[in-house]
């Protein structure tokens, strides 16, 4: 099966960051791509969208995909500091545990990044409002037939391609066909998330107070650790504050195909009351003034040994569900896409199996270690039981124990796969300050 001009064709299921990144990388590898996405239109400031951090390699990859590389910097803020605090819940004061001033990340709002990537692609490659139903690999393994429902009409369509890319998230139905016994692992905690738009309250007591308490907002990734809980806090572009609060609790009942849930006013009120007991008043005010906070159930999985079968390949959270503690999910998705594109370019469509074997060989060992490290860091910060060591106590932690909190300890933190060594670096340290 070939697309226009004799090009091989890839069908990508999922139009989130992983899927849209694959669309860029495979287009550059001279493949025709078609993206199936069940939502009806591109997001424009999605209410459930939140903040994310891009490492330096992801920044370089994204810039190589954009017609104007500076657009990435125009749509993000620097995160040059990684800082961990211990919060005394009784005295409502914080002290610094660790501070790394060589943290070369940038902060983006999910919807801003998605829009940036989407607008740099031809619009006709996206099929919005198309629900993936099933697929079938041809007997000769040379093509794959995909069925999808057009949600606006109920019509079922068939698309044939050379490659099926599963970018359908941590609850991937495509993965389920090959790994029917696969189970996600509940972390032991959930996360309240929110983004406060302070554009109209810039000089309010809340914003003046939070800037006094968190001096380096606008360039710092803050973690606050209390007994059995921690928060993440940083600024986004366009006068927004992104916060996450992890709460230990038994596994909830997950319904449908999402690990994010809407909440009612009673749940929000109870959360805000609990926040008053734990966090400093300045942070509590931000949490209370945030409209529409939502709840994330935190899952990961044991590393998956195989991430492709015939001409079907997993990318992003479908390939390696992870907890968020090492800011890996988005970065792994972008790197998956870039490596997959380079492998397809190297081997060509005629040697698809070799290309997918190469992709798996490069990515699987790296993502496996990163997933397990993110799990380890999450359990440390939540004060949960760890093998061969006492639960972490931010009040009495020794300096060597606090070092384990730093992002730079993530395996392969600054690793650049050889297949991507040719991607130009247009990020200079001075630009990130």
């Amino acid at each position: 099966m070939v697309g226009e001009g004799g090009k091989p064709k890839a069908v990508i299921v999922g139009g989130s960051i992983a899927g849209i990144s694959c669309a860029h990388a495979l287009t550059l590898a001279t493949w025709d791509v078609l993206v199936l996405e069940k939502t009806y239109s591109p997001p424009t400031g999605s209410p459930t969208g939140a903040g994310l951090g891009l490492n330096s390699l992801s920044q370089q990859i994204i810039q190589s995909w954009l017609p104007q590389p500076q657009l990435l910097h125009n749509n993000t803020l620097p995160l040059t500091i990684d800082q961990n605090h211990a919060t005394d819940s009784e005295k409502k004061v914080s002290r610094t545990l660790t501070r790394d001033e060589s943290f070369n990340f940038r902060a983006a709002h999910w919807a801003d990044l998605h829009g940036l990537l989407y607008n740099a692609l031809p619009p006709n490659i996206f099929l919005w409002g198309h629900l993936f139903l099933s697929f079938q690999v041809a007997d000769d393994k040379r093509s794959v037939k995909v069925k999808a429902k057009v949600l606006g009409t109920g019509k079922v369509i068939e698309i044939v391609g050379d490659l099926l890319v599963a970018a359908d998230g941590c609850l991937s139905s495509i993965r389920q066909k090959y790994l029917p016994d696969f189970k996600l692992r509940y972390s032991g905690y959930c996360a309240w998330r929110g983004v406060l738009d302070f554009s109209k309250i810039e000089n309010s007591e809340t914003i003046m107070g939070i800037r006094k308490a968190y001096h380096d907002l606008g360039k710092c990734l803050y973690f606050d650790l209390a007994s059995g809980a921690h928060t993440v806090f940083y600024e986004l572009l366009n006068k927004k504050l992104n916060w996450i609060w992890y709460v230990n609790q038994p596994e909830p009942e997950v319904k449908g195909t999402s690990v994010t849930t809407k909440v009612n006013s009673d749940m929000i009120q109870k959360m805000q009351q609990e926040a008053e007991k734990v966090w400093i008043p300045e942070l509590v005010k931000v949490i209370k003034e945030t409209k529409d906070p939502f709840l994330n159930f935190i899952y990961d999985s044991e590393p998956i040994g195989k991430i492709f079968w015939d001409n079907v390949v997993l990318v992003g959270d479908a390939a390696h569900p992870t907890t968020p503690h090492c800011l890996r999910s988005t970065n792994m998705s972008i790197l998956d896409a870039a490596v997959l594109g380079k492998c397809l370019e190297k081997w060509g469509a005629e040697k698809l199996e070799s290309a997918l074997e190469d992709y798996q060989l490069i990515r699987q060992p790296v993502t496996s270690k990163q997933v397990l490290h993110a799990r380890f860091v999450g359990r440390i910060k939540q004060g949960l039981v760890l093998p061969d060591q006492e639960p972490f106590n931010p009040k009495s932690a020794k300096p060597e124990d606090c070092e384990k909190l730093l992002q730079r300890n993530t395996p392969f933190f600054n690793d650049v796969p050889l297949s991507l060594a040719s991607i130009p670096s247009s990020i200079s340290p001075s630009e990130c300050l």
Side-chain angles (χ1 to χ4, degrees), residues 294-336:
F294 60 99
L295 198 55
N296 239 165
F297 308 129
I298 307 301
Y299 287 86
D300 66 6
S301 76
E302 295 304 311
I304 301 169
K306 191 169 175 61
I307 53 175
F308 84 93
W309 299 264
D310 301 322
N311 50 354
V312 179
V313 63
L314 307 180
V315 298
D317 289 342
H320 35 70
T322 186
T323 60
H325 307 294
C326 296
L327 283 75
R328 283 296 120 186
S329 180
T330 299
N331 290 296
M332 285 196 290
S333 296
I334 292 166
L335 192 46
D336 284 352

Side-chain angles (χ1 to χ4, degrees), residues 58-75:
S58 291
Q59 294 167 40
Q60 291 167 31
I61 292 168
I62 290 168
Q63 288 187 314
S64 75
W65 293 339
L66 298 177
Q68 298 171 290
Q70 74 273 17
L71 285 173
L72 180 64
H73 277 209
N74 296 346
N75 284 272

Side-chain angles (χ1 to χ4, degrees), residues 15 29 45 50 69 109 114 151 156 163 233 239 266 334 341 343:
H109 191 283
H114 190 278
L151 294 177
V156 174
L163 173 67
F233 188 56
K239 299 180 172 52
D266 288 345
I334 292 166
C343 291

